[in-house]
Amino acid sequence: SQKIEQNSEALNIQEGKTATLTCNYTNYSPAYLQWYRQDPGRGPVFLLLIRENEKEKRKERLKVTFDTTLKQSLFHITASQPADSATYLCALNNAGNMLTFGGGTRLMVKP
Amino acid sequence: EAQVTQNPRYLITVTGKKLTVTCSQNMNHEYMSWYRQDPGLGLRQIYYSMNVEVTDKGDVPEGYKVSRKEKRNFPLILESPSPNQTSLYFCASSPGTGIIQYEQYFGPGTRLTVT
């Protein structure tokens, strides 16, 4: 069956460290993968999109990698800050025009 | 300001009473979509629309209807709501046509409770 897995346990890190979140998928062949940030009770906010032919994408302190052989995307936040605390969702295109989300990983950055 | 709006933001209703949640975007986006979010199940796509008069089912369409008569509006209709439709609902829009390869802009959410 198709599955998108993100670590359901919260990730706790110290301010200033690099946070690394994982998104693994099975039985999908996505053309691209997206990462979103969601704060409690609010709608997700788009962060980055990476296509299947791209290995890495960066935006300010954010970096995403996409390994279609491993069927995995890694999301990194360098020099993390308490304001980065949120739930991070990965999403990939499914059957062309649908978008399927992972369950999200909650990140807690402690000062 | 570019945005997706949803109304109402909060709704408590009773089983079987038809309701509509409205969604509107002012960005001239072709693609619009509805999701529901439940604890432990994450965000799941209900319906999506590639353009006016073009709609298609997502992962969990049962019990829902949609229509896309105008580009900016994409209402979600629950003809006979049931308690298992209690959830947090999000509308989203995205530019471009064809296979989505653009970011989605989400609305603020509608918290629906069906008793």
Side-chain angles (χ1 to χ4, degrees), chain A residues 14-95:
Chain A
Q14 206 65 36
E15 182 177 7
K17 301 292 186 186
T18 295
T20 299
L21 286 68
T22 305
C23 176
N24 295 302
Y25 59 92
T26 53
N27 293 321
Y28 287 101
S29 296
Y32 61 89
L33 192 143
Q34 302 182 17
W35 283 89
Y36 290 79
R37 169 187 173 135
Q38 187 174 25
D39 292 288
R42 308 192 71 166
V45 174
F46 172 79
L47 297 174
L48 280 168
L49 180 152
I50 186 165
R51 295 185 170 79
E52 59 179 336
N53 60 349
E54 298 174 317
K55 290 233 176 338
E56 183 179 296
K57 205 83 169 276
R58 291 175 185 261
K59 178 183 174 184
E60 296 171 355
R61 295 184 296 111
L62 309 180
K63 184 178 87 171
V64 172
T65 63
F66 192 11
D67 189 325
T68 55
T69 302
L70 289 179
K71 297 188 182 297
Q72 181 182 78
S73 175
L74 298 178
F75 177 79
H76 306 272
I77 306 175
T78 57
S80 59
Q81 305 163 1
D84 295 326
S85 298
T87 295
Y88 291 87
L89 308 169
C90 70
L92 51 81
N93 71 302
N94 177 25

Side-chain angles (χ1 to χ4, degrees), chain B residues 50-88:
Chain B
M50 299 295 294
N51 214 322
V52 175
E53 302 291 2
V54 181
T55 62
D56 215 337
K57 296 177 181 178
D59 287 320
V60 288
E62 295 78 19
Y64 304 94
K65 282 176 58 177
V66 292
S67 68
R68 187 92 180 272
K69 295 187 180 358
E70 305 168 283
K71 197 172 186 179
R72 63 182 295 131
N73 296 322
F74 190 45
L76 179 69
I77 303 157
L78 284 72
E79 295 268 2
S80 183
S82 62
N84 65 13
Q85 293 179 297
T86 293
S87 187
L88 180 58

Side-chain angles (χ1 to χ4, degrees), chain B residues 8-100:
Chain B
R9 295 290 313 281
Y10 302 90
L11 179 60
I12 301 174
T13 190
V14 296
T15 299
K17 187 176 181 183
K18 180 180 178 180
L19 66 91
T20 299
V21 184
T22 64
C23 173
S24 183
Q25 50 95 4
N26 62 0
M27 295 169 280
N28 202 36
H29 286 169
E30 283 81 9
Y31 185 96
M32 295 187 74
S33 182
W34 276 102
Y35 297 86
R36 61 178 288 175
Q37 188 170 37
D38 303 286
L41 296 175
L43 264 172
R44 293 178 294 168
Q45 195 169 31
I46 304 170
Y47 269 96
Y48 62 94
S49 169
M50 299 295 294
N51 214 322
V52 175
E53 302 291 2
V54 181
T55 62
D56 215 337
K57 296 177 181 178
D59 287 320
V60 288
E62 295 78 19
Y64 304 94
K65 282 176 58 177
V66 292
S67 68
R68 187 92 180 272
K69 295 187 180 358
E70 305 168 283
K71 197 172 186 179
R72 63 182 295 131
N73 296 322
F74 190 45
L76 179 69
I77 303 157
L78 284 72
E79 295 268 2
S80 183
S82 62
N84 65 13
Q85 293 179 297
T86 293
S87 187
L88 180 58
Y89 291 86
F90 289 103
C91 179
S93 72
S94 180
T97 57
I99 294 175
I100 346 167

